[in-house]
Amino acid sequence: MRLKTYSAPSLAEAMASVRRDLGEDAIIVATGDAPGGGVQVRAASDSPRGGDVIEAPRERAARIHNDIRRQRGDDSDGIDRIIRALGFHRVPDAAIEALARFCELQEDAPAAHALAQALESRYRFAPLEVAPGLAYLFAGSPGAGKTATLARIAARAAAANVPVLILATDCERAGAEARIAELSGKLGFDYAMADDPREAEAFALDAGDQLLLIDAPAGNAFDVDDLDMMAAFAAATEAEIIAVADAGQAPEDAAEAASLYASAGARRTIIGKADCARRKGAILATGEAGLAFAHVSASPYIGSGLAPATPLRLARTLLDLHDLPDDVSFAGDAI
Amino acid sequence: MSFLPDSKAPAGRILAVASGKGGVGKTVIAAGLAQAFSAQGERLLLIDGDLGMANIDVQLGLSPDADLAAVMSGQVLLEDACQPVMGGARKRGGFDVIAGRSGSGGLAGLRPDAVNRLAAACATIALSYERAVLDLAAGADDSTMRMAMAADDVLIVINDEPTSLTDAYAFVKRLRLRDESAAPLVVVNNAPTSDKAREAYAAFRKTCQSFLGFAPALAGIVARDEHVPLTIRAQMPLSQRSPDCAAMCDIAHLASALAAGRQAA
């Protein structure tokens, strides 16, 4: 703790000195008359770094942005840039090593292309088809973006004139049905609520040639009972389990969760929140667990947010190159 | 922090006296409380918990045969290190003392498990008394905090100097990092006036409340009293040399309040 005594002609002047020296968190522990006239103020601060000037959000954001650019190696080139970026994102060590070794073989290629080829060699990529008669169940931790992902796939189906039946199983969570109802209403699709796998099976049988999109119950990937319930819904509806991963999750957690979803039958993943996470090691950690990349979220907007997870797109995401003109070629993919 | 199965049990309650800053009169308060509690009829043990700069024996004019350092090295049993003062704990007004040893390297030099053993030993021997007063070392290092954790009650001695406030605050902060339920009490020592003492306490209370979300209660105020330095120089217990002086009266008042679990009015 820092404790200082200030004397000044007026209280306001003393307080200004307190704020300047000790910061906004300082408290006044005593006030009185100064021996030589004026006021005396004793103030304390227990902040580790008192006295910091508080920046406006815009300035703070700019500072963070610059720090990130430096840490990520945005101003460096080639393999150096790739290694720094992968390290910045906290990509698992084994993956960094393997990807770097691959990139070293393509010294002359631009960083994004070299990394894309390395990603292509190490991971599988398999976008979701949107066609009648298929069924997908979106599973993931609460907040990973299951429902938003489902809505985006539904939007893509709408654009392709594929009829959709949305099945919500997350009946217990507050507001879950209202959200599904609103999304379905906006897209003009039917939705149904199924409390258990048996009910879900009945809806699946009635779905006919509709594309069946199932919002799995909110569950914890690390809870085996939750995983079993999710797998039971998938089995009852003969749906493919799509693991929805949060790009901003701790990479270790992401790898473990992905491996559990894989053991429950998932083969593909959709990466949510890639547009807002800064450190995105969870993306490749999910791939390390053996899941194929299907899509990656590109913006928070339902109508325009999901792009196929191609090697080049992931490379650009990791190198933060999404604003290059080349990216326009992906615009048509976005849904 | 209690070692007792029932906190209402009469035996072995340990009161640790701490200060953070040295030189605020911690040992005077601890020794004075020992005298006051025993005058109120409690069987009392005073332990010098400051192995590095122990001076209870010096202040009270004792020549201990054994001290806490000898206990820690295994040379003597803790109970054999107890020395009677003013007739000893069996006599009203007297108490037993376990001295520390100045310059023995101190608590800070002990390994954590040794400090824990020492704290446990103090708690065990305290069971043979109605109350033990533990004079802690100044500072807020790990060993001192471990010793403080062995106490049922912690009393922090402050005065009206800014350094006392910051160091006492550091002590409370570290204590509550270890035990969120710890509720140390405050005594303002060497108070020039009651108003100055209350100002010092108010500043300390506000600091703790603002930064720790915890407001320590005021247990008492001990007036500045010229008899105290004179008694220290004479190396005698305050209650023996100047039993009716203002400081001793305040300490007796403090002891009554602590025994009754009262806060200062």
Side-chain angles (χ1 to χ4, degrees):
Chain A
M1 184 180 68
R2 292 180 302 157
L3 184 74
K4 286 188 81 171
T5 304
Y6 297 86
S7 295
S10 73
L11 191 61
E13 286 162 276
M15 291 301 295
S17 300
V18 169
R19 297 273 175 263
R20 188 190 62 232
D21 287 2
L22 299 176
E24 295 292 327
D25 297 336
I27 58 161
I28 306 306
V29 296
T31 54
D33 295 332
V39 295
Q40 184 169 289
V41 170
R42 181 168 292 165
S45 164
D46 199 33
S47 303
R49 291 184 308 131
D52 269 5
V53 179
I54 294 175
E55 293 172 307
R58 200 166 288 277
E59 291 162 12
R60 189 79 209 151
R63 186 187 297 277
I64 291 172
H65 179 72
N66 287 336
D67 282 351
I68 285 178
R69 282 184 55 81
R70 190 173 39 73
Q71 291 170 33
R72 198 168 47 204
D74 286 8
D75 296 327
S76 51
D77 293 317
I79 184 77
D80 184 38
R81 174 166 190 178
I82 290 169
I83 290 173
R84 287 184 66 171
L86 296 177
F88 166 80
H89 289 296
R90 293 171 45 215
V91 169
D93 289 345
I96 295 184
E97 220 170 282
L99 293 168
R101 216 177 302 128
F102 195 96
C103 290
E104 275 171 354
L105 302 175
Q106 322 160 61
E107 267 177 82
D108 299 334
H113 294 171
L115 181 56
Q117 296 214 30
L119 293 173
E120 210 279 329
S121 75
R122 190 166 176 85
Y123 304 110
R124 295 183 300 117
F125 296 84
L128 262 55
E129 291 171 77
V130 171
L134 294 177
Y136 298 121
L137 176 141
F138 299 94
S141 303
K146 288 188 302 291
T147 309
T149 298
L150 180 149
R152 286 160 172 176
I153 298 291
R156 190 171 153 202
N161 288 321
V162 174
V164 170
L165 172 63
I166 295 172
L167 188 58
T169 61
D170 200 0
C171 307
E172 285 173 22
R173 195 169 59 173
E177 181 173 0
R179 187 159 180 229
I180 285 285
E182 189 190 346
L183 288 169
S184 305
K186 279 186 179 166
L187 294 165
F189 292 131
D190 294 334
Y191 80 94
M193 306 289 293
D195 278 327
D196 56 54
R198 191 182 296 271
E199 272 183 46
E201 184 177 8
F203 283 114
L205 287 172
D206 286 346
D209 61 358
Q210 287 174 299
L211 170 65
L212 181 62
L213 301 179
I214 305 161
D215 199 12
N220 179 352
F222 303 116
D223 184 320
V224 178
D225 291 339
D226 286 0
L227 272 184
D228 281 347
M229 179 57 79
M230 183 275 293
F233 271 105
T237 52
E238 294 183 12
E240 178 186 346
I241 299 168
I242 307 295
V244 180
D246 175 350
Q249 201 179 5
E252 297 83 354
D253 282 3
E256 288 164 10
S259 73
L260 285 163
Y261 284 123
S263 73
R267 295 289 170 265
R268 290 192 273 189
T269 184
I270 291 178
I271 305 294
K273 299 189 177 175
D275 50 303
C276 51
R278 290 292 176 91
R279 286 155 190 83
K280 304 172 187 177
I283 298 178
L284 297 191
T286 301
E288 290 292 305
L291 297 181
F293 294 110
H295 297 268
V296 57
S297 65
S299 93
Y301 305 106
I302 299 291
S304 65
L306 210 57
T310 63
L312 187 55
R313 178 173 294 279
L314 287 196
R316 287 182 183 287
T317 299
L318 294 169
L319 296 170
D320 199 40
L321 290 171
H322 47 74
D323 52 348
L324 286 194
D326 283 9
D327 222 31
V328 173
S329 61
F330 291 101
D333 305 331
I335 55 174
Chain B
M1 284 204 290
S2 176
F3 284 82
L4 299 174
D6 176 1
S7 62
K8 289 177 192 151
R13 195 161 183 91
I14 299 179
L15 170 69
V17 182
S19 66
K21 182 184 181 302
V24 297
K26 176 170 47 61
T27 300
V28 168
I29 296 286
L33 280 173
Q35 294 155 44
F37 281 127
S38 61
Q40 289 163 18
E42 290 193 13
R43 271 170 45 75
L44 195 122
L45 173 68
L46 174 62
I47 305 171
D48 194 340
D50 183 351
L51 271 66
M53 290 292 170
N55 53 21
I56 279 183
D57 53 327
V58 179
Q59 255 190 36
L60 299 180
L62 309 176
S63 307
D65 298 325
D67 55 28
L68 214 45
V71 173
M72 286 319 293
S73 63
Q75 292 164 19
V76 294
L77 294 174
L78 193 60
E79 52 265 38
D80 294 337
C82 296
Q83 184 178 8
V85 177
M86 295 170 73
R90 290 177 192 287
K91 187 169 174 289
R92 182 180 276 259
F95 54 96
D96 289 352
V97 169
I98 299 176
R101 184 194 286 166
S102 205
S104 62
L107 273 177
L110 290 180
R111 293 162 47 90
D113 56 337
V115 178
N116 288 342
R117 276 206 311 280
L118 177 61
C122 289
T124 306
I125 193 165
L127 291 172
S128 304
Y129 296 83
E130 282 170 274
R131 190 188 301 271
V133 174
L134 175 62
D135 185 20
L136 290 175
D141 59 73
D142 188 54
S143 298
T144 304
M145 302 320 294
R146 282 173 192 273
M147 292 293 284
M149 293 289 288
D152 302 281
D153 307 299
V154 176
L155 179 69
I156 312 232
V157 184
I158 65 170
N159 63 19
D160 63 351
E161 294 169 19
T163 42
S164 165
L165 188 155
T166 53
D167 292 1
Y169 167 77
F171 183 93
V172 174
K173 181 175 175 175
R174 296 204 61 180
L175 185 66
R176 286 186 50 94
L177 279 175
R178 288 166 179 265
D179 178 2
E180 285 185 338
S181 67
L185 301 162
V186 181
V187 58
V188 184
N189 189 35
N190 201 23
T193 65
S194 177
D195 284 351
K196 288 281 180 201
R198 288 186 185 280
E199 277 173 27
Y201 166 69
F204 184 61
R205 177 191 163 91
K206 184 169 182 188
T207 305
C208 290
Q209 178 70 62
S210 300
F211 298 137
L212 303 177
F214 158 74
L218 180 65
I221 295 169
V222 177
R224 181 170 295 172
D225 184 341
E226 61 189 13
H227 293 92
V228 172
L230 292 174
T231 307
I232 293 171
R233 285 194 198 100
Q235 291 189 273
M236 286 175 70
L238 189 60
S239 62
Q240 199 171 29
R241 192 175 189 275
S242 309
D244 300 320
C245 73
M248 192 61 224
C249 290
D250 286 343
I251 291 173
H253 194 66
L254 171 66
S256 302
L258 290 169
R262 282 202 309 270
Q263 296 180 12

